[in-house]
């Protein structure tokens, strides 16, 4: 299970780095173009926006995995030991169900885009690429959070809690 999580982490990091570099380069090129060359090149903005979308959605999973997302933990913090672990498992299951629902909705959007053949205005790329950000990120969120829920459940069954580790 750790190999799968490590592999997904590497994929996430690669996507984050590539999209960040493209976004920065496209934004810089747009500023230079606007102030110096004054050429009508509109695809810089579109590329930067699509990269930012990928970064935000993949970053959501990174934050969930690392525990750096903003969370309301008032109830969970009142529990300790197995009670706390059970609430955390329940929380992960809710996230998995929600993420799977968004993933399925993203798949429907992708299907529509494939059938209609819509392309982006400036880049001329298939709109399945921008909409793919939702599918990829929520597939990863679903998988990672499900694996973490299973891992927590195994720990509870083996009478291990995070506080004991």
């Amino acid at each position: 299970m750790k190999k799968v999580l490590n592999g997904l982490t590497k994929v996430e990091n690669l996507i984050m780095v590539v999209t960040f570099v493209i976004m920065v380069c496209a934004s810089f090129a747009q500023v230079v173009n606007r102030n110096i060359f004054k050429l009508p090149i509109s695809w810089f903005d579109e590329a930067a926006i699509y990269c930012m979308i990928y970064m935000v959605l993949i970053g959501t999973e990174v934050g969930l995995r690392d525990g750096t997302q903003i969370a309301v933990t008032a109830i969970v913090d009142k529990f300790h030991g197995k009670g706390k672990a059970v609430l955390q498992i329940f929380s992960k299951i809710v996230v998995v169900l929600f993420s799977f629902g968004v993933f399925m909705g993203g798949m429907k959007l992708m299907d529509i885009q494939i059938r209609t053949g819509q392309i982006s205005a400036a880049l001329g790329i298939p709109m399945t690429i921008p909409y793919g950000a939702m599918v990829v990120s929520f597939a990863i969120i679903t998988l990672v959070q499900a694996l973490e829920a299973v891992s927590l459940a195994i720990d509870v069954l083996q009478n291990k809690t995070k506080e004991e580790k």
Side-chain angles (χ1 to χ4, degrees), residues 111-160:
D111 181 52
I112 291 168
Q113 295 305 318
I114 289 169
R115 284 189 280 123
T116 61
Q118 183 180 5
I119 60 171
S120 68
L123 287 170
I125 59 173
M127 286 302 291
T128 54
I129 294 172
Y131 282 109
M134 187 166 43
V135 173
V136 169
S137 63
F138 281 95
I140 293 173
I141 289 170
T142 302
L143 184 59
V144 169
Q145 294 301 306
L147 289 172
E148 287 188 3
V150 168
S151 178
L152 279 171
I154 289 169
D155 288 347
V156 166
L157 292 173
Q158 294 176 345
N159 292 324
K160 296 179 195 172

Side-chain angles (χ1 to χ4, degrees), residues 7-156:
L8 288 172
T9 300
K10 288 179 183 178
V11 169
E12 291 168 352
N13 291 340
L14 177 68
I15 292 171
M16 293 290 281
V17 167
V18 169
T19 55
F20 181 74
V21 168
I22 293 171
M23 183 185 74
V24 169
C25 290
S27 297
F28 179 74
Q30 177 62 18
V31 169
V32 169
N33 179 49
R34 183 177 37 226
N35 292 317
I36 297 172
F37 301 113
K38 299 181 183 6
L39 297 172
I41 302 174
S42 60
W43 64 267
F44 290 136
D45 284 336
E46 195 171 278
I49 289 168
Y50 292 158
C51 286
M52 189 180 306
I53 290 168
Y54 269 89
M55 287 176 55
V56 166
L57 291 173
I58 297 293
T60 299
E61 200 294 307
V62 172
L64 280 171
R65 182 177 21 85
D66 294 346
T68 55
Q69 287 282 35
I70 294 175
V72 178
T73 60
I75 295 172
V76 175
D77 290 343
K78 296 211 182 282
F79 288 83
H80 299 284
K82 278 191 176 184
K84 186 173 189 172
V86 168
L87 278 175
Q88 289 172 331
I89 292 168
F90 178 74
S91 171
K92 298 274 183 203
I93 290 170
V94 169
V95 170
V96 167
L97 293 173
F98 175 79
S99 299
F100 185 73
V102 175
F103 168 75
M104 293 306 292
M107 292 296 287
K108 288 178 183 175
L109 282 172
M110 291 276 290
D111 181 52
I112 291 168
Q113 295 305 318
I114 289 169
R115 284 189 280 123
T116 61
Q118 183 180 5
I119 60 171
S120 68
L123 287 170
I125 59 173
M127 286 302 291
T128 54
I129 294 172
Y131 282 109
M134 187 166 43
V135 173
V136 169
S137 63
F138 281 95
I140 293 173
I141 289 170
T142 302
L143 184 59
V144 169
Q145 294 301 306
L147 289 172
E148 287 188 3
V150 168
S151 178
L152 279 171
I154 289 169
D155 288 347
V156 166

